[in-house]
Amino acid sequence: MGMSGSTNDFVTTTLATAIGWARANSMWPMPFGTACCGIEMMAAFMAKYDASRFGSEVMKFSPRQADLLIVSGRISLKMMPVLQRIWEQMPAPKWCISMGACASSGGVFDTYTLIQGIDQFLPVDAYMPGCPPRPEAFFDALMMVQEKAKKGQSKALEYITDDAVSDPAQSVACRTPDNNYVHNVDRSTPSAEKASHDKIADDKITRDGVAPGTSK
Amino acid sequence: MILYQPENHLALIAKVEAFAGDKLLGREEKSHYHQFRVRGADAKDLVRFLRDEPSLGFTYFIDLTAVDYQTYPQPQPERFAVVTTLLSPKLGIRAQVKAFVAEGDPRIPSLTDIFAGANWTEREVWDLYGIEFLGHPDLTRILMPDDFDGHPLRKDYPLKGRGERGNFPVFHATTRKPAEEA
């Protein structure tokens, strides 16, 4: 996108570039701060670090008016359906930042109750290391998301919601957000999905590629 | 501010020992509270006595929690202990009632009809330790998900769980091809 001299009153660009430029510089974040990373996220939005320099000063506590989900803090198994519901309520195009070690990998909390990385359930666009990360790291991740937005990229676009089950050859068994809006899944009945530690190890393989027993 | 008055402490000890008698398994003076150890079946009577005795007045319910002594080095009367902490605004003294509960029969009378504030704390102890409170109006899980199996703060519960982290429904999604976007 080129801004030429003042003698010309027009700009030539493509529509996709203009839309990407507008989206990247007007990110409206939906904060999901559950731990100390949330404090650093607040600091990043306050006057000293000032996220409004990047056009994302409008912190929206309603997911329907937001397009950037910032998961800052540890997410428990009980909280994950809530977070998935919030993600589904956000209108596309949307991006997700996994802020801090806990959201990205579980951090030091390798326990029965904590999600070991929200990317098992949400399409994450940018990961942020640190415990907690500094606001500078937050801006690094924000700029990475902005770069993706300018190019029209989003991890959420890699998942579509039509019935992939009808075409198993195209499907990749993965733990995605609740695409089919099946929110009241009965998890009390024991099934083959009732996993042991070995099953968890198998599932990590299926996330990356082909489900065991099926060919791609 | 209530100044330290030794006669109040001595009176508390004397009255509790006179009330409980043989039911008192042990007594200990900590730095800022008195601890009285009883069996689980006797705990409610002692708590009610501490609250209703006019000269004591332990009317402030601070907390109720539990301990699992399974891996504790010193031997204890039973595996579990339900610990109730009370405060007497009248005397400025804290009193703790430690009620031992057997592993094979983890049940104890509920305190909800004495202190309404014990409702949620007893639900928490039931949720995390599996100790049943008899007479509780709504003994359901409060922290863990409703379909959770087990009581995870017990010492024999594995830290990484029994597969809860893998017990999520698996949904299927396809990878969108670039040609389809156009």
Side-chain angles (χ1 to χ4, degrees), chain A residues 141-159:
Chain A
L142 182 61
M143 286 188 283
M144 287 167 67
V145 171
Q146 282 184 320
E147 288 302 315
K148 294 183 97 170
K150 284 174 185 171
K151 296 173 187 169
Q153 297 172 348
S154 168
K155 194 76 175 174
L157 290 176
E158 299 176 15
Y159 299 98

Side-chain angles (χ1 to χ4, degrees), chain A residues 128-146:
Chain A
M128 216 184 305
C131 185
R134 300 255 327 153
E136 290 89 334
F138 173 80
F139 290 127
D140 193 23
L142 182 61
M143 286 188 283
M144 287 167 67
V145 171
Q146 282 184 320

Side-chain angles (χ1 to χ4, degrees), chain A:
Chain A
M1 184 168 186
M3 291 289 200
S4 55
S6 59
T7 55
N8 297 324
D9 289 338
F10 59 89
V11 173
T12 56
T13 180
T14 63
L15 183 60
T17 307
I19 290 175
W21 174 79
R23 281 174 179 164
N25 292 289
S26 64
M27 285 278 175
W28 285 14
M30 160 78 205
F32 200 84
T34 54
C36 42
C37 289
I39 303 296
E40 293 296 313
M41 178 183 66
M42 294 174 215
F45 279 85
M46 286 298 116
K48 181 171 181 178
Y49 296 99
D50 199 8
S52 61
R53 294 178 291 156
F54 300 87
S56 59
E57 72 270 31
V58 187
M59 189 88 90
K60 301 304 285 187
F61 291 92
S62 161
R64 297 189 193 280
Q65 281 83 39
D67 50 10
L68 174 63
L69 177 66
I70 305 169
V71 183
S72 51
R74 59 192 92 90
I75 302 296
S76 65
L77 298 183
K78 200 174 177 181
M79 184 61 86
M80 199 66 220
V82 179
L83 182 57
Q84 281 184 334
R85 179 71 69 93
I86 286 173
W87 173 255
E88 292 295 324
Q89 285 175 345
M90 288 169 61
K94 52 189 173 181
W95 294 267
C96 177
I97 290 180
S98 172
M99 182 171 184
C102 294
S104 301
S105 68
V108 297
F109 303 103
D110 190 7
T111 65
Y112 56 91
T113 186
L114 216 75
I115 299 289
Q116 301 295 301
I118 62 164
D119 57 351
Q120 297 179 48
F121 301 93
L122 295 180
V124 177
D125 288 285
Y127 300 86
M128 216 184 305
C131 185
R134 300 255 327 153
E136 290 89 334
F138 173 80
F139 290 127
D140 193 23
L142 182 61
M143 286 188 283
M144 287 167 67
V145 171
Q146 282 184 320
E147 288 302 315
K148 294 183 97 170
K150 284 174 185 171
K151 296 173 187 169
Q153 297 172 348
S154 168
K155 194 76 175 174
L157 290 176
E158 299 176 15
Y159 299 98
I160 57 174
T161 58
D162 58 5
D163 49 347
V165 183
S166 62
D167 189 5
Q170 294 289 328
S171 71
V172 178
C174 64
R175 295 172 185 199
T176 65
D178 202 345
N179 280 332
N180 296 322
Y181 294 94
V182 183
H183 285 292
N184 297 317
V185 175
D186 185 12
R187 276 189 258 134
S188 61
T189 56
S191 65
E193 295 165 7
K194 187 101 172 172
S196 63
H197 291 298
D198 300 336
K199 182 67 163 49
I200 294 171
D202 289 341
D203 289 343
K204 282 181 179 167
I205 297 170
T206 61
R207 271 203 288 141
D208 297 329
V210 185
T214 61
S215 61
K216 194 164 186 178

Side-chain angles (χ1 to χ4, degrees), chain B residues 84-105:
Chain B
T84 309
T85 309
L86 306 173
L87 170 69
S88 169
K90 179 188 176 76
L91 303 179
I93 302 174
R94 286 160 198 250
Q96 205 171 58
V97 177
K98 181 176 275 190
F100 286 95
V101 179
E103 180 180 1
D105 184 25

